[in-house]
Amino acid sequence: MSKDSVAIFGGRGMLGVDVATACAAAGHVVQAYDLPEFDITDPDQVREAVTACDVIVNCAAYTDVDGAESNVSEAHRVNATAVGCLGELAREYGKRVVHISTDFVFDGKLDRPYTEADEPAPINEYGKSKLAGERLLAESGCAHCVLRLEWTYGVHGASFVTKLIELAQVGNTLRVVDDQIGSPTATTVVAAAICELIEQKTEGVYHLANSGYVSRFGIAEFVVDRLGLDVDVEPCPSSSYETPARRPLNSRLDCGKIQALLTTPLEPWQGPLERFLRQIDEKHSGYRRCGIHRQQLR
Ligand SMILES: NC(=O)c1ccc[n+]([C@@H]2O[C@H](COP(=O)([O-])OP(=O)(O)OC[C@H]3O[C@@H](n4cnc5c(N)ncnc54)[C@H](OP(=O)(O)O)[C@@H]3O)[C@@H](O)[C@H]2O)c1
């Protein structure tokens, strides 16, 4: 089968690097685009990139969830207007788009995992901008697939997991919210799934996460235990931990729809997270460098 030429917008971001690596390993011709030389809000640059490929994977985004509360127009310019423009150009030139979205399109008030059929109702500006992007892409009429992710982590960027480790380096106690529930998800898992979706020319909206659910407090306990960090982890409610942007409490995604397309089952979150912790420990020796007491990885 002939391989696609794949353009990855946001190709130097946490997810984008892993998508580029996975697509190249699958035999695709890959071109990564990112700031500062490529700006998704510049239609001329987007046109040039769109005409030079078969498929665009859009990982570019304004991802500062708290920052979006005070930079509303910038978040919307990158996450919504530019995505609509990308869709129009993709339709004009007959190209396919795989667009990355988020669980933050939901308000988190449901008492079960969210399916793709559930009505989005974002509770922060980041979520509103991402939902607007999904809708503008759909309205453009291009062939597209939207992947809603949650709680991603990877070796090429900062995440909840890496922030936990940073915080563990400066204090003896970590206070972590125990009422936000979701699934920590490895960017490598997402990248492998994106390769399959490209091959299958999949269209529609899909939820994607590692399987199983856990609170952010539960993740902190797991990370501290596996790294043998010498810190206490205390649970607290979101109401006692004020941030500029509200977070949904229920971030559980029902991934049954995408699971039916994938060749392998989505792995429980513990395995990929443990491998990630081993990988960053081997790569950076971060805990030793920062003087943290560290036992053998278990
Ligand atoms: N991280 C999560 O927990 C999570 C959860 C759900 C969904 N997502 C989604 O996953 C996707 C990938 O995010 P990520 O986690 O990989 O975050 P990331 O590391 O911040 O990647 C985003 C990339 O987009 C680039 N970018 C920002 N503005 C741009 C512009 N105007 N033109 C071109 N590139 C631009 C960023 O460059 P700079 O770094 O130079 O700004 C960065 O390289 C996003 O759509 C995000 O909404 C993430």
Side-chain angles (χ1 to χ4, degrees), residues 119-136:
E119 193 58 38
I123 56 173
N124 59 41
E125 291 299 335
Y126 168 76
K128 287 177 192 168
S129 70
K130 294 292 289 184
L131 178 60
E134 285 187 14
R135 288 182 170 162
L136 288 171

Side-chain angles (χ1 to χ4, degrees), residues 52-74:
C53 69
D54 302 310
V55 184
I56 302 96
V57 181
N58 182 29
C59 303
Y62 182 101
T63 53
D64 180 351
V65 175
D66 287 321
E69 295 299 304
S70 47
N71 293 304
V72 179
S73 62
E74 179 63 7

Side-chain angles (χ1 to χ4, degrees), residues 15 74 120 164 206 225 260 279 291:
L15 175 62
E74 179 63 7
L164 277 176
Y206 293 86
D225 176 66
Q279 191 181 357

Side-chain angles (χ1 to χ4, degrees), residues 40-44 46-47 50 80-91 136-137 140:
I40 195 175
T41 66
D42 180 337
D44 292 335
V46 174
R47 182 185 296 273
V50 165
T81 313
V83 178
C85 177
L86 164 62
E88 281 165 25
L89 288 165
R91 180 182 39 87
L136 288 171
L137 187 65
S140 75

Side-chain angles (χ1 to χ4, degrees), residues 13-15 34 38-40 59-61 63 100-101 126 130 149 152:
M14 182 171 75
L15 175 62
D34 210 323
F38 171 83
D39 188 336
I40 195 175
C59 303
T63 53
I100 308 302
S101 192
Y126 168 76
K130 294 292 289 184
L149 313 178
T152 50

